[in-house]
Amino acid sequence: MPSQTATAPAELPPVDIKPLLSRLWPVGHPDTVSPDEIANAISYFFTNQVSDVQAGSLLMCLHFTGLDRQAEVLSKTAQAMLKSAAKIDVDELRKVVDSRRRPEGDYQGGLVDIVGTGGDSHNTFNISTTSSILASSLLLIAKHGNKASTSKSGSADLLNCMTPLPPKISLITPSTISLLYSRSNYGFLFAPVFHPGMKYVAPIRRQLPWRTVFNLVGPLANPTDISSPPLLEARMIGVARKDIGPVFASALVMAGAKKAMVVCGDEELDEISCAGETLCWRIVDGKTENFRLHPRDFGLPTHPLSEVSPGKEPHENAAILTRILNGEVPDDDPILHFVLINTAALFVVAGVTEAETSDMGYGDDGKVITERGPGGGRWKEGVRRARWAVKSGEAARQWARFVEVTNSFPEE
């Protein structure tokens, strides 16, 4: 019998989840399946120990019973996914992050993420990815992302098409992540690298016509969210359905999040909308507040989604991103406004806008906008800082540094 080692997960013995499936369907079984049992069953997906038929059956059961949209199931499954993730040297990464912290306002200098679930069918420009790059002017960014699954241009697709030289995102690994942050404010954590067990799940997902629990769990499973005190200080997550918003907020609280915001545009958009109102669930110190945001709260006009939904290919979106970083788009450009709104919100969530003084560097007039809007946020101050990131060239400098560093990593 072949030896069974941790480095050969495909050789681990099969796990039969038929008893669990029989309790999930039909609905009403007297022995209710717990979130822990669901997460435990899914953990075996990542080691290729569950047959494709049974794995697909579990995903279908969760979908049609609505269990994959329950907060505790999402939270527990995200934790199982993180336990199976490629291992980061947390102590080494913490030392690097501590050495590079730039606390300001309520921001303590930790890692920050902005991500969406996708699946909103609007095919808008890559807002969260662009916002993450602008935000790296003031924050340490740990952008968790992947290639497109429901749109034309996923975050990884966009970055791979950047010119004149794209970053080598596949070379950002647990062994290079600390070196990356020692030299760059920006980090892109490519999901297939940090969640290698998902390669066993991908073929099953592709054969199902429905979105599965993994479409929702991914944004909750940032690979740096693995320690206490947390390396991941703050995050903003966009969801494509309004009813999912409070579920995500609860899942984040269950996981111990102290600083986060879940957003859903009124059009079922997984970003803060530039077209009208956005539902927000903001978590501060483990408590959730629900409110609505509108572009006017940021001091900006509305723009219909048709003006920011080019539905373009990744290389075309990369050209737009490059023009934004180079300051080549007009101040009133609809896509720029869309990006500024979401970048501003990330600054608010991270806490940097709570600073009473401002000394960001070249081009900063130092005039802090102290006006508060819905949820008590200084949304207009966030826009001021986001505009500075573009006009000062700091976002472009951070991007160039990220590209340079990743291209210096040896091919593995």
Side-chain angles (χ1 to χ4, degrees), residues 317-344:
N317 282 348
I320 295 172
L321 170 54
T322 300
R323 291 199 298 273
I324 290 174
L325 291 177
N326 291 341
E328 296 170 352
V329 299
D331 286 350
D332 61 352
D333 181 82
I335 291 180
L336 177 61
H337 282 179
F338 199 3
V339 171
L340 292 176
I341 285 172
N342 282 272
T343 308

Side-chain angles (χ1 to χ4, degrees), residues 205-256:
R205 294 174 67 192
R206 281 196 294 267
Q207 294 183 66
L208 296 176
W210 311 284
R211 293 172 64 78
T212 72
V213 67
F214 292 108
N215 294 93
L216 301 178
V217 168
L220 295 170
N222 185 298
T224 64
D225 188 23
I226 50 176
S227 62
S228 181
L231 283 167
L232 188 65
E233 179 178 341
R235 67 180 95 186
M236 189 166 90
I237 300 178
V239 297
R241 284 176 44 182
K242 298 171 191 174
D243 61 322
I244 294 294
V247 174
F248 259 67
S250 294
L252 286 167
V253 170
M254 289 175 187

Side-chain angles (χ1 to χ4, degrees), residues 6 46-47 78-90 93 144 170 172-177 189-199 221-226 412:
F46 308 130
T47 49
Q79 292 304 308
M81 192 170 174
L82 286 170
K83 286 179 182 177
S84 298
K87 304 306 178 189
I88 296 171
D89 186 332
V90 176
L93 181 57
H144 188 208
S170 63
I172 303 169
T173 68
S175 63
T176 61
I177 188 171
L189 312 182
F190 189 33
V193 171
F194 288 87
H195 294 291
M198 284 297 293
K199 65 186 176 186
N222 185 298
T224 64
D225 188 23
I226 50 176
E412 294 186 352

Side-chain angles (χ1 to χ4, degrees), residues 104-105 352-360 364 366-368 370 378 381 384-385:
E104 187 172 8
V352 73
T353 54
E354 290 302 306
E356 298 302 331
T357 59
S358 178
D359 185 18
M360 293 183 286
D364 179 14
K367 297 178 181 178
V368 175
T370 59
R378 290 179 173 177
E381 170 64 5
R384 186 186 76 87
R385 288 173 176 265

